[in-house]
Amino acid sequence: MRTLVHLSDLHFGRTDPAVIEPLLARVQASRPDCVVVSGDLTQRARVDQFRHARAFLDRLPRPQVVVPGNHDVPLYRVLERILDPFGNYRRSINEDLEPSFIDEEIAVLGVNTARAMTFKGGRIDDAQIESIRCRIAALPPGTTKIIVTHHPFDLPDVTGKVKLVGRARQAMEAFSTCGVDLLLAGHFHTSHAGDTSSRHDFPGYAALAVQAGTATSTRSRGEVNAFNVLRVSEESVSVERHAWHADAGAFLLVQTERFRQETGRWVDY
């Protein structure tokens, strides 16, 4: 079994300073095998914001799989947005926009869905889909295959405003053929876990889609700061949601959802 910590939407430049140290302590106590950060490390992709994000990442356990989000691309600095959209990200966070972590049990593959010419949404293209196919084809049998993006491939639409990553359907069709197990994402600042069969109906296949809320931002959108701890085995996944409790001055475990694979789908138990 492997333990993953899933953080998202840090938004340095609009963080709540009260949550930083308790968050770091809780993540360290989880003893993760890998830390995943699914985008939006900054609020406006400024050098100082990336510097603070870098300092935060340096205090988290390693290995890490970190991908950019749409807020990590300059919004109003138009020339920079066109000519060098990920320049500050590459210089402060990682030259590799699609890093990975692979061991004997899990493969965590980062995919960059942020784009220079979209202000909020994201997209996955054919080359990225083919790259995922090739990377997964090289994995040994029994490896749990995990994709990390900022923009989600699936999320229940309770508001009528949920816009998934562009080309989500094409990507999910490819994932069904190569057996992607888990999809980790952020962007909407809401926590959720559930299988993809309702929206993406492929015979005998569903991935488990897990959303993380914002770990540190004041842009809470109605949900307190939160992050996920996942316990992953070949047959099952548990998703623990840890949420900020201001009165306690700590992140506390508030929900645990357990899923197991049955005939190609994930069911809760």
Side-chain angles (χ1 to χ4, degrees), residues 1 5 16 39 41 85 108 169 189 193:
M1 179 175 287
V5 163
D16 180 352
L41 282 74
V108 185
R169 180 70 180 181
H189 296 199

Side-chain angles (χ1 to χ4, degrees), residues 2 10-11 28 34 75 81 101 107 119 125 162 180 194 201 219 226-227 230 232 266:
R2 294 290 185 260
L10 306 178
H11 288 282
Q28 292 282 358
C34 181
L75 179 60
R81 184 181 185 93
F101 168 73
F119 292 109
D125 60 35
V162 169
V180 170
D201 187 14
R219 302 175 69 243
F227 72 97
L230 288 80
V232 181
W266 293 94

Side-chain angles (χ1 to χ4, degrees), residues 103-106 136-145 178-179 181 234:
D103 69 5
E104 297 82 6
E105 294 189 23
I106 61 174
I136 288 178
L139 298 173
T143 304
T144 300
K145 298 168 280 293
C178 57
D181 297 296
E234 186 176 354

Side-chain angles (χ1 to χ4, degrees), residues 26 47 64 77 91 98 105 112 121 128 143 148 152 184-185 201 209 220 232 235 242 254 257 259 262 265:
R26 193 69 170 182
V47 171
Q64 300 172 4
R77 305 189 304 276
R91 285 184 285 272
E98 300 191 327
E105 294 189 23
N112 175 28
Q128 289 174 304
T143 304
V148 181
L184 308 186
D201 187 14
S220 60
V232 181
E235 300 85 15
H242 297 254
V254 296
E257 297 178 89
F259 302 87
E262 290 186 1
R265 298 182 183 273

Side-chain angles (χ1 to χ4, degrees), residues 98 111-112 115 123-132:
E98 300 191 327
V111 179
N112 175 28
R115 294 293 186 268
R123 185 175 177 83
I124 186 171
D125 60 35
D126 288 338
Q128 289 174 304
I129 293 172
E130 185 57 29
S131 174
I132 292 169

Side-chain angles (χ1 to χ4, degrees), residues 231-243:
R231 316 286 182 183
V232 181
S233 72
E234 186 176 354
E235 300 85 15
S236 65
V237 174
S238 70
V239 181
E240 302 171 1
R241 179 172 173 253
H242 297 254

